[in-house]
Amino acid sequence: MHTTAILTALPLDRADPAPLFRQLYAAIKDAILRGAIGPGMQLPPTREFCRLLAISRQTVLNAYAQLSAEGYLSGSVGKGTFVSADLPIAGAGAGAPGLLRPLSARGEGYLAAMRQVAYHRGKLRAFRVGMPAIEHFPFDVWSRLEARRWRRPDHLMGYSDPAGYLPLRELLCVYLKASRGVNCTPQQIVITSGSQQALYLLSTMLLGPGDAVWMESPGYRGASGPLHAGGARVFPVPIDAQGLDVAYGAARCPQAKLAYVTPSHQLPLGVSMSLQRRLELLAWAAKARAWVIEDDYDSEYRYTGAPLASLQSLDRAGCVVYVGTLSKVLFPGLRLGYLVAPPALAGALVQAKAVLDRHTAIVPQMVLADFIAEGHFGRHIKRTRELNAGRRALLMDGIARDLGDLLACGPADTGLELCVHFRRGHDEEAVARAGLERGIELRPLGHYADAGAAAECRAAPGQLLGFSAIPEAEIAHGLKVLGAILRGE
């Protein structure tokens, strides 16, 4: 096609708020880069061009001037304007999708891993999992504390310590010691952008491609994702009534470099790891010189007795990395989590954090430190624990009263969700699809099993039902809908 014809067909939108010369500049630039106008080709004189496009000559002059300044055009008065002859343009079809360079093996691994992770979408409804009772968070208090910080900015508003805001780490150190028995100093704590970033840091720092990792199965897909993406060989280990089956893992994958566990409240089955099993795991890790990641994601919400002591509190070999999140206690959008590393590992993780994103956003850390120091954090946990306990009781009582012949409840001492198993031969995926069609969210237990996991590493068919964020009336409605689905009504 002739240059004049190509340029005459350039898209210009007079209703667009962008100036016409910027639109013309962008259109010509695009035509050059995709090879429609090749190096050395002459552009029409400005007077002819403005007549063809019905625009002012100044518009054309401005566009040509910008393109010339950036090196796309060359020329002089009396000789005409040309596409620069030395541009390394590949030619027509250079942007065709089929010619895109492939992703790296790690990039493909990330895509595969993220396809396994479920996201919350749309209006909150029964029985969405993983969500705290956001409507009961004291946002007015948080806003006041944040406004106070903005009114009094200090030197920490610049680049900050990659490990995180020191006063927050000091407060977390005291809190974790009192509530979870975690033995640490502030220098062992690294503030992260949620527990997900902590898991990513650990997977990249502690594992190499092909290294074997024990992963609870069924288990948290958000943890297996970074492991798969990093090239680790994830080995599913089954869960029984005492937690992770250490003997199974030691017999079938003794060379593992790391074990990922949720000992206080296993996701999704809800069991707590027994003391005997914890000691077995620590003994294996010490002997195998392996790491253990303890993900303590929702231990604040224990409804029968005090929270259990952490696995980290039993560690004498320096092999446990404790990971926590504030998403389940405060709100997920905050994106604040933390890890507690053994002293020998802490420095390396701080350096890795600095490379990854320099540091987590500082103002939310400051506000959280104030929130904890002034007592709001403790009061909020107490208030939401009572709220969650009431919603948990409503859910369990409703199941016992109306669905006891259809569902069997798993352990429910801790957490924001309840695991239920079918008493009859229902297809969990079909039940979940039917739930969505009728306006409720169900999470099949099969979602938590790693692809290719052995039969013993898969849960009996059932669902995980979230209750923490669900109002009482919606819980009652959800149970009614679920019962109708299970009864084929």
Side-chain angles (χ1 to χ4, degrees):
M1 185 183 295
H2 190 270
T3 305
T4 301
I6 294 172
L7 295 176
T8 303
L10 294 177
L12 296 178
D13 183 3
R14 286 169 170 76
D16 193 313
L20 282 176
F21 90 89
R22 295 295 304 180
Q23 295 185 47
L24 182 59
Y25 151 81
I28 297 174
K29 176 180 173 181
D30 176 69
I32 293 172
L33 290 176
R34 59 186 168 85
I37 307 174
M41 295 180 68
Q42 185 175 11
L43 271 62
T46 56
R47 293 185 186 278
E48 178 186 350
F49 204 3
C50 67
R51 179 181 58 78
L52 290 171
L53 292 179
I55 56 179
S56 72
R57 184 166 179 258
Q58 191 60 51
T59 296
V60 180
L61 287 170
N62 289 343
Y64 278 16
Q66 183 66 36
L67 290 163
S68 297
E70 295 182 8
Y72 292 97
L73 303 181
S74 62
S76 59
V77 177
K79 293 185 178 180
T81 303
F82 299 82
V83 177
S84 296
D86 56 354
L87 288 179
I89 303 299
L99 298 181
L100 291 176
R101 273 60 172 175
L103 294 173
S104 67
R106 174 167 290 188
E108 292 287 357
Y110 274 104
L111 291 181
M114 291 312 295
R115 291 189 192 105
Q116 304 169 2
V117 178
Y119 297 92
H120 300 309
R121 294 185 176 91
K123 181 182 177 182
L124 181 67
R125 53 189 175 177
F127 294 97
R128 183 169 295 178
V129 302
M131 288 292 291
I134 294 177
E135 76 276 16
H136 288 272
F137 183 78
F139 286 105
D140 55 338
V141 173
W142 188 271
S143 298
R144 175 171 54 80
L145 296 175
E146 185 171 28
R148 188 174 69 191
R149 280 291 178 179
W150 285 120
R151 285 195 300 269
R152 298 185 300 186
D154 58 26
H155 68 284
L156 290 174
M157 292 296 185
Y159 291 108
S160 188
D161 188 340
Y165 183 48
L166 180 57
L168 175 58
R169 289 185 284 135
E170 291 172 338
L171 288 164
L172 284 174
C173 192
V174 174
Y175 167 72
L176 292 172
K177 176 65 176 178
S179 66
R180 307 292 296 112
V182 172
N183 298 309
C184 69
T185 66
Q187 288 67 40
Q188 291 175 248
I189 298 178
V190 181
I191 305 298
T192 60
S193 299
S195 61
Q196 201 70 34
Q197 187 186 58
L199 295 173
Y200 173 78
L201 270 175
L202 293 168
S203 66
T204 54
M205 291 294 288
L206 304 181
L207 299 169
D211 284 347
V213 180
W214 290 1
M215 177 72 198
E216 295 176 332
S217 186
Y220 176 43
R221 304 307 291 271
S224 62
L227 299 173
H228 281 294
R233 183 168 63 86
V234 176
F235 182 80
V237 178
I239 303 297
D240 60 22
Q242 295 189 65
L244 185 84
D245 190 339
V246 177
Y248 181 99
R252 292 168 173 78
C253 186
Q255 74 279 19
K257 298 291 182 65
L258 184 149
Y260 169 86
V261 290
T262 52
S264 293
H265 179 230
Q266 202 277 329
L267 182 71
L269 300 182
V271 302
S272 296
M273 187 181 291
S274 68
L275 177 60
Q276 178 182 347
R277 197 63 62 81
R278 292 174 186 234
L279 295 175
E280 287 177 10
L281 177 61
L282 292 174
W284 167 81
K287 182 179 180 181
R289 297 182 63 80
W291 297 100
V292 176
I293 296 178
E294 177 182 12
D295 189 347
D296 206 24
Y297 65 101
D298 67 357
S299 62
E300 289 86 359
Y301 295 120
R302 184 169 177 81
Y303 310 112
T304 56
L308 301 175
S310 64
L311 179 67
Q312 191 265 8
S313 67
L314 301 173
D315 180 23
R316 297 295 179 268
C319 60
V320 175
V321 183
Y322 180 92
V323 173
T325 180
L326 295 156
S327 294
K328 302 297 187 283
V329 180
L330 303 180
F331 53 97
L334 183 61
R335 301 316 304 144
L336 281 180
Y338 53 89
L339 60 84
V340 180
L345 180 61
L349 290 173
V350 172
Q351 292 297 316
K353 171 69 174 171
V355 171
L356 184 63
D357 64 357
R358 190 58 179 86
H359 61 78
T360 296
I362 191 65
V363 174
Q365 295 185 61
M366 292 175 165
V367 177
L368 177 57
D370 296 340
F371 192 76
I372 296 173
E374 296 182 13
H376 306 294
F377 185 71
R379 286 190 291 272
H380 178 65
I381 290 177
K382 183 176 184 296
R383 183 167 55 247
T384 50
R385 185 186 291 125
E386 293 171 354
L387 172 72
N388 292 348
R391 291 177 173 178
R392 163 185 168 271
L394 179 65
L395 177 62
M396 297 183 68
D397 291 346
I399 291 174
R401 182 183 62 250
D402 302 323
L403 303 176
D405 60 327
L406 299 169
L407 297 174
C409 295
D413 295 337
T414 307
L416 311 180
E417 298 93 17
L418 174 67
C419 170
V420 295
H421 297 281
F422 299 138
R423 293 188 184 276
R424 303 176 188 175
H426 290 96
D427 182 320
E428 60 181 16
E429 292 290 345
V431 170
R433 287 193 300 270
L436 279 179
E437 292 171 359
R438 302 193 191 193
I440 64 172
E441 292 182 20
L442 301 168
R443 182 68 60 82
L445 295 180
H447 166 85
Y448 297 93
D450 204 62
E456 62 267 24
C457 296
R458 295 180 175 275
Q463 304 287 335
L464 189 65
L465 307 179
F467 58 81
S468 174
I470 314 302
E472 288 75 3
E474 183 66 14
I475 290 176
H477 168 72
L479 286 174
K480 183 177 180 180
V481 173
L482 178 57
I485 293 170
L486 295 178
R487 292 190 176 94
E489 299 172 359

